[in-house]
């Protein structure tokens, strides 16, 4: 009798589990570090650990260009960004845990590069993309380096010396997203990365980029209110400097008023007044009109995240999947 009762109990439990819904798991997360950092630096390891505290059981992958930490840091300054995006797409496609899709967080230039991945590949697909202080409309100045950061200082001098030269545009990472508002013609002719992912060249505009970016569930754009590294800081919100203030004279009064967001005495054109948005070159407008873009801010200088990130990770990462 005892053996029969035990057997019947086991059978009953098995039957219940067989008809139960599949066990849900936490959607995986991908991180891409910023300039001057590496995939497994102490800061990145701590960030990943804190995320795991918020979402127990979450799988986190930190993107790398080179496995060696010093070489990976160097790759943030030197390299061909288009080739790096290709390498990362292959890397992500080979990770079994990501095959069903993932959320992603990009820090500084890592956020812009993750957007490039979405537009060019998105296989496996990104659900929610959070970018912190990312230069989506490029930078109009090369940021200063920390004292004794000689790698940064050499890269900065080389970039400023011939930013639109052929060598710089294929070997210096910052040069490949340098967008001079007063030298746009040269930028459009010389640049092969930012002009591409922003679909700025009419004859080579890729509508697939638009469809893929618009396929995101959410794009969360985070600006640092006191950012002096990304110039202008509003690039994190797809803002850019106007070429010249007098060019705005032909605009109507309400539009001129909308442009009176100032950054270091420069007039900033916000996302919703950019041709890129108005003509929907990359899917921003479609995504925005269905409520898929969130504008967030961190009160501080570049990458001073303090406590401004937790609620975003809580809301936009760690979703349950069956």
């Amino acid at each position: 009798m005892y053996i029969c009762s035990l057997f019947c109990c086991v059978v009953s439990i098995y039957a219940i589990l067989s008809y139960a819904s599949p066990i849900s798991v936490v959607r995986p997360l991908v991180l891409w570090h910023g300039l001057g950092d590496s995939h497994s630096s102490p800061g990145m390891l701590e960030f990943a650990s804190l995320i795991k505290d918020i979402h127990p059981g979450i799988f986190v992958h930190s993107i790398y260009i080179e496995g060696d930490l010093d070489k990976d840091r160097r790759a943030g300054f030197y390299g061909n960004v288009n080739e790096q995006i290709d390498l990362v797409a292959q890397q992500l496609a080979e990770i079994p845990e990501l095959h069903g899709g993932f959320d992603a967080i990009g820090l500084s230039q890592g956020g812009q590069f993750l957007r490039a991945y979405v537009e060019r590949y998105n296989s496996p697909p990104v659900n929610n993309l959070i970018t912190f202080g990312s230069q989506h409309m490029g930078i109009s100045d090369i940021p200063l380096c920390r004292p004794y950061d000689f790698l940064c200082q050499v890269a900065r001098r080389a970039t400023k010396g011939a930013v639109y030269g052929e060598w710089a545009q294929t070997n210096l990472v910052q040069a490949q997203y340098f967008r001079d508002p007063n030298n746009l013609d040269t930028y459009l002719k010389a640049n092969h990365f930012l002009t591409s992912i922003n679909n700025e060249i009419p004859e080579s505009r890729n509508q697939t980029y638009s469809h893929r970016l618009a396929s995101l569930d959410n794009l969360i754009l985070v600006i640092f209110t006191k950012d002096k590294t990304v110039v202008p800081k509003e690039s994190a919100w797809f803002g850019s400097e106007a070429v010249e203030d007098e060019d705005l004279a032909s605009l109507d009064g309400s539009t001129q008023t909308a442009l009176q967001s100032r950054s270091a005495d420069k007039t900033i054109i916000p996302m919703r007044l950019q041709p890129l948005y108005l003509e929907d070159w990359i899917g921003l407008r479609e995504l925005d009109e269905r409520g898929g873009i969130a504008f967030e801010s961190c009160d501080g200088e570049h990458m001073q995240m303090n406590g401004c990130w937790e609620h975003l990770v809580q809301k936009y990462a760690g979703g349950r999947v069956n």
Side-chain angles (χ1 to χ4, degrees), residues 84-101:
Q84 291 182 353
I85 303 297
D86 294 343
L87 184 153
V88 167
Q90 180 179 350
Q91 179 183 132
L92 298 180
E94 293 174 352
I95 300 174
E97 291 87 348
L98 304 180
H99 286 176

Side-chain angles (χ1 to χ4, degrees), residues 9-28:
C9 182
V10 170
V11 170
S12 298
I13 293 173
Y14 177 80
I16 292 172
L17 292 176
S18 298
Y19 286 98
S21 59
I23 298 174
S24 63
V25 297
V26 181
R27 184 183 297 128

Side-chain angles (χ1 to χ4, degrees), residues 213-214 216-217 219 283-293:
L213 190 69
L216 288 172
D217 289 340
L219 173 62
L284 276 181
R285 184 167 182 169
E286 179 181 346
L287 189 60
D288 186 36
E289 289 180 345
R290 65 173 169 79
I293 297 181

Side-chain angles (χ1 to χ4, degrees), residues 39-57:
H39 62 90
S40 296
S41 67
M44 289 299 293
L45 292 176
E46 180 183 13
F47 186 46
S49 178
L50 292 171
I51 290 171
K52 291 177 181 179
D53 289 340
I54 295 174
H55 297 295

